[in-house]
Amino acid sequence: MSGVNKVILVGRLGKDPEVRNLDNGAVVANFSIATSESYKDRTTGEKKEVTEWHNIVLWRGLAEIAQKYLRKGDMVFIEGKLRTRSWEKDGVTRYTTEIVGDNMTMLTPKTGAGGGASQEYSSAERSPAESMRTNAPVDNSTDDLPF
Amino acid sequence: MSGVNKVILVGRLGKDPEVRNLDNGAVVANFSIATSESYKDRTTGEKKEVTEWHNIVLWRGLAEIAQKYLRKGDMVFIEGKLRTRSWEKDGVTRYTTEIVGDNMTMLTPKTGAGGGASQEYSSAERSPAESMRTNAPVDNSTDDLPF
Amino acid sequence: MSGVNKVILVGRLGKDPEVRNLDNGAVVANFSIATSESYKDRTTGEKKEVTEWHNIVLWRGLAEIAQKYLRKGDMVFIEGKLRTRSWEKDGVTRYTTEIVGDNMTMLTPKTGAGGGASQEYSSAERSPAESMRTNAPVDNSTDDLPF
Amino acid sequence: MSGVNKVILVGRLGKDPEVRNLDNGAVVANFSIATSESYKDRTTGEKKEVTEWHNIVLWRGLAEIAQKYLRKGDMVFIEGKLRTRSWEKDGVTRYTTEIVGDNMTMLTPKTGAGGGASQEYSSAERSPAESMRTNAPVDNSTDDLPF
DNA sequence: TTTT
DNA sequence: TTTT
């Protein structure tokens, strides 16, 4: 790899995630989250707000967690990378920029069994034991999705 | 400047912020936030959790917002930089690493007037108008704190 | 503001920046930077590379620095936020996602007078004096561009 | 996990990395990198610089890459997490805060065989194929270090 | 302890 | 459109 491509977002889901099971067995979730910024209009002095919508794509384990736990209006932390796809429509090439998430923390407390705190999920979890400079670390969290 | 020194945290306050007014009129807030990581112990198979405490320092406007709105247990997003200070105690030089925040978003909904959503604050707010490639970009970066 | 919208990139410029002076006196620079990722093709076992292009927008002081110092092929660190704009062409609404930079560090050493190390520039510079818990914190955030 | 604990640094190594092989077969590298910030002294008007040193810890594959390729003076991008350890010395408990890196990009071009561009390494590499919404993604980069 |  |  060459370079760094990182996005960090905290925002709310505009709708429930759309989750699909691909033919090859992969699971993918799509949803949008909004971030907004307020500022004072220079000429009128009014306080205004600009909302930005971000298209999130999650794969495999993260997609399944999104499907189970994320709902419209929930706040999430998403870490991922930018990816722009092109596609044809009516003979016109269009471009969509998405954030492919590899790390997610739910910031809206989930009520019910065990609910409460935020919960982070990663597409490549790694044990913190390796941070502890002692012996016997490491959970090589295998990835047992069917592909 | 040379290089990049950036920290991004989402965690909960261990206690209420301590806020002090310095002789020169500056306001500074100190508090700690916890992040934790869970992993499976390799030998016992048990799920374990490691908690990390981060010392946060906020200045001026951010310190005042912390004083007003942040309480023990609240979840916050903090963006800042690492800074290690040294100090003497009992003839021994000790070091403390802190995160000097320059951006903060409260993630625990505040009930009461206007409460509800998260709210972001920056030590150097800038209008998003400049992002809009139209006329009259805006600089409202005035800083009217008493120092 | 509500939420967090942050992008961090390290990549190379595909071309020299395009810099324009707007009627209102603002300066804006546009350029693209590439990040790439290598991976092993699952079926063929070949090592492949995917390149992602990011559209960068810089305003005012950062635009002027880009104009002076950034050239095709140079490596830069960019910190900013995502912003999607829509525009019409041939009766079709199109969308472009850009990164509006608020912090930049040049990573390609500049030879010649004073050249050498990386240099960071921010759209809202702030003195580190405030990090030093001593007397007289500093606000030198004046913004003397002509708008 | 609960929360987010992320550090992003671009700086130069003060010395060559120290690399050790632990009894359990793990490899760990330690080195410091400097970031600096310049500011104008408020009273004297002089331009000053503050340097911050960050203690980096890398494990396994990243440690081996550091050993092979990183040298004093090199510039690197490091992504990781904060971790504070305590230890005893002369009956006094001391604390050290380190950055445990999980992603690294070398920003100093390496001359010699194959040298030149920046190169990124991750502690948990993942194929970008999964980003491409086609069939047959995924390289489950196994982790074959001896522990 | 880096670098300009 | 960069770079190796």
Side-chain angles (χ1 to χ4, degrees):
Chain A
M1 217 249 217
S2 168
V4 173
N5 173 0
K6 179 158 292 288
V7 181
I8 286 170
L9 302 169
V10 175
R12 290 186 186 278
L13 279 79
K15 295 183 182 172
D16 287 0
E18 290 177 17
V19 183
R20 291 173 305 130
N21 294 277
L22 304 189
D23 291 347
N24 62 14
V27 186
V28 59
N30 290 269
F31 56 89
S32 293
I33 66 173
T35 60
S36 59
E37 217 176 330
S38 59
Y39 65 101
K40 203 176 288 184
D41 186 285
R42 200 204 191 183
T43 49
T44 68
E46 291 172 288
K47 197 175 178 187
K48 294 195 171 177
E49 194 172 72
V50 184
T51 295
E52 190 72 36
W53 286 95
H54 308 273
N55 301 311
I56 310 296
V57 183
L58 301 177
W59 286 88
R60 301 177 299 158
L62 287 179
E64 294 173 334
I65 288 160
Q67 182 173 36
K68 270 193 205 156
Y69 300 113
L70 286 184
R71 293 293 173 266
K72 176 180 173 174
D74 285 355
M75 181 171 282
V76 280
F77 169 95
I78 298 276
E79 184 183 330
K81 63 185 168 197
L82 289 168
R83 196 239 355 227
T84 298
R85 295 186 293 117
S86 64
W87 42 289
E88 301 285 324
K89 187 182 167 190
D90 305 334
V92 178
T93 304
R94 292 147 187 276
Y95 296 88
T96 301
T97 297
E98 299 168 311
I99 293 92
V100 182
D102 47 41
N103 213 347
M104 176 172 79
T105 297
M106 305 189 310
L107 299 172
T108 294
K110 293 295 165 179
T111 50
S118 74
Q119 197 65 22
E120 175 170 331
Y121 301 98
S122 166
S123 66
E125 200 67 49
R126 188 145 304 278
S127 163
E130 69 187 62
S131 312
M132 282 182 279
R133 193 167 298 185
T134 54
N135 50 354
V138 178
D139 160 28
N140 284 314
S141 54
T142 51
D143 206 315
D144 49 27
L145 288 176
F147 59 95
Chain B
M1 215 252 217
S2 168
V4 172
N5 174 0
K6 181 160 289 290
V7 180
I8 287 170
L9 301 170
V10 175
R12 292 186 185 277
L13 279 79
K15 296 183 180 172
D16 288 359
E18 290 177 16
V19 183
R20 291 174 304 130
N21 294 276
L22 305 188
D23 291 345
N24 61 15
V27 186
V28 60
N30 290 270
F31 56 90
S32 294
I33 65 174
T35 59
S36 58
E37 217 176 332
S38 58
Y39 66 100
K40 202 175 290 183
D41 186 285
R42 200 205 190 187
T43 49
T44 67
E46 291 173 287
K47 198 176 178 186
K48 294 196 171 177
E49 195 172 71
V50 184
T51 296
E52 189 72 36
W53 286 95
H54 309 273
N55 301 312
I56 311 295
V57 183
L58 301 178
W59 287 87
R60 301 179 296 159
L62 288 180
E64 295 173 332
I65 289 160
Q67 183 172 37
K68 271 193 203 155
Y69 299 114
L70 285 184
R71 293 292 173 269
K72 176 181 173 174
D74 285 353
M75 182 172 281
V76 280
F77 169 96
I78 298 274
E79 185 183 329
K81 63 185 169 198
L82 289 169
R83 195 243 350 232
T84 298
R85 296 186 291 117
S86 64
W87 43 288
E88 299 287 324
K89 189 184 166 188
D90 304 334
V92 179
T93 304
R94 291 147 188 275
Y95 297 88
T96 303
T97 298
E98 299 166 312
I99 292 94
V100 182
D102 48 41
N103 213 348
M104 176 173 78
T105 298
M106 303 187 312
L107 299 172
T108 294
K110 291 294 163 180
T111 50
S118 74
Q119 197 65 22
E120 175 170 332
Y121 301 98
S122 167
S123 67
E125 199 66 47
R126 188 147 303 279
S127 163
E130 67 188 61
S131 313
M132 283 184 277
R133 191 166 302 184
T134 55
N135 50 355
V138 171
D139 166 23
N140 54 9
S141 64
T142 52
D143 207 315
D144 48 26
L145 288 176
F147 58 93
Chain C
M1 217 249 218
S2 166
V4 173
N5 174 1
K6 180 159 288 291
V7 180
I8 286 171
L9 301 171
V10 175
R12 290 186 187 276
L13 279 80
K15 295 182 182 173
D16 287 359
E18 289 178 16
V19 183
R20 290 173 305 128
N21 293 277
L22 304 188
D23 290 346
N24 61 16
V27 186
V28 60
N30 290 270
F31 56 89
S32 294
I33 66 174
T35 59
S36 59
E37 215 175 333
S38 59
Y39 66 100
K40 204 176 285 186
D41 186 286
R42 201 206 190 187
T43 50
T44 69
E46 291 173 288
K47 198 176 178 185
K48 294 195 173 178
E49 194 173 72
V50 184
T51 295
E52 191 71 36
W53 286 96
H54 310 272
N55 302 311
I56 310 296
V57 183
L58 301 178
W59 287 89
R60 302 177 298 159
L62 286 180
E64 295 173 333
I65 288 160
Q67 183 173 37
K68 270 192 204 156
Y69 299 113
L70 285 184
R71 293 294 173 267
K72 173 179 173 174
D74 284 356
M75 181 171 281
V76 280
F77 170 94
I78 298 276
E79 185 181 329
K81 63 184 169 198
L82 290 168
R83 195 240 355 227
T84 298
R85 296 184 292 118
S86 64
W87 42 289
E88 298 287 324
K89 187 184 165 188
D90 305 333
V92 178
T93 303
R94 290 147 189 274
Y95 297 88
T96 301
T97 297
E98 297 167 312
I99 292 93
V100 182
D102 48 41
N103 212 348
M104 176 173 77
T105 297
M106 306 189 307
L107 299 173
T108 294
K110 291 297 163 179
T111 50
S118 76
Q119 198 63 22
E120 175 169 333
Y121 301 99
S122 165
S123 67
E125 200 66 48
R126 188 146 303 279
S127 162
E130 68 188 61
S131 311
M132 283 183 278
R133 193 166 299 182
T134 54
N135 51 352
V138 171
D139 167 23
N140 54 9
S141 65
T142 52
D143 208 315
D144 49 26
L145 286 177
F147 58 94
Chain D
M1 218 247 220
S2 167
V4 172
N5 174 1
K6 180 160 290 289
V7 181
I8 286 171
L9 301 170
V10 175
R12 290 186 187 277
L13 279 79
K15 295 183 181 171
D16 288 359
E18 290 178 16
V19 183
R20 292 174 303 130
N21 294 276
L22 305 188
D23 290 346
N24 61 13
V27 186
V28 61
N30 291 269
F31 56 91
S32 294
I33 66 174
T35 59
S36 58
E37 217 175 332
S38 58
Y39 66 99
K40 203 176 286 184
D41 185 287
R42 200 204 191 185
T43 50
T44 68
E46 291 173 288
K47 198 175 179 187
K48 294 197 173 177
E49 195 172 72
V50 184
T51 295
E52 190 71 37
W53 287 96
H54 310 273
N55 302 311
I56 310 297
V57 182
L58 302 177
W59 287 88
R60 300 176 299 160
L62 287 179
E64 294 173 333
I65 289 160
Q67 183 173 36
K68 271 192 203 158
Y69 298 114
L70 286 184
R71 292 294 171 266
K72 173 180 174 173
D74 286 354
M75 181 173 280
V76 280
F77 169 96
I78 298 275
E79 185 183 330
K81 63 184 169 199
L82 289 168
R83 192 228 11 212
T84 298
R85 297 184 290 119
S86 65
W87 42 289
E88 299 288 324
K89 187 183 166 189
D90 304 333
V92 178
T93 303
R94 292 147 189 273
Y95 297 87
T96 302
T97 298
E98 299 167 310
I99 293 93
V100 182
D102 47 41
N103 213 347
M104 176 173 77
T105 298
M106 305 187 311
L107 299 172
T108 293
K110 290 297 164 179
T111 50
S118 76
Q119 198 66 21
E120 176 169 333
Y121 301 97
S122 166
S123 68
E125 200 65 49
R126 187 144 305 279
S127 163
E130 69 189 61
S131 312
M132 284 184 276
R133 194 167 297 184
T134 55
N135 50 354
V138 181
D139 160 28
N140 283 315
S141 54
T142 51
D143 208 312
D144 48 27
L145 288 177
F147 60 95

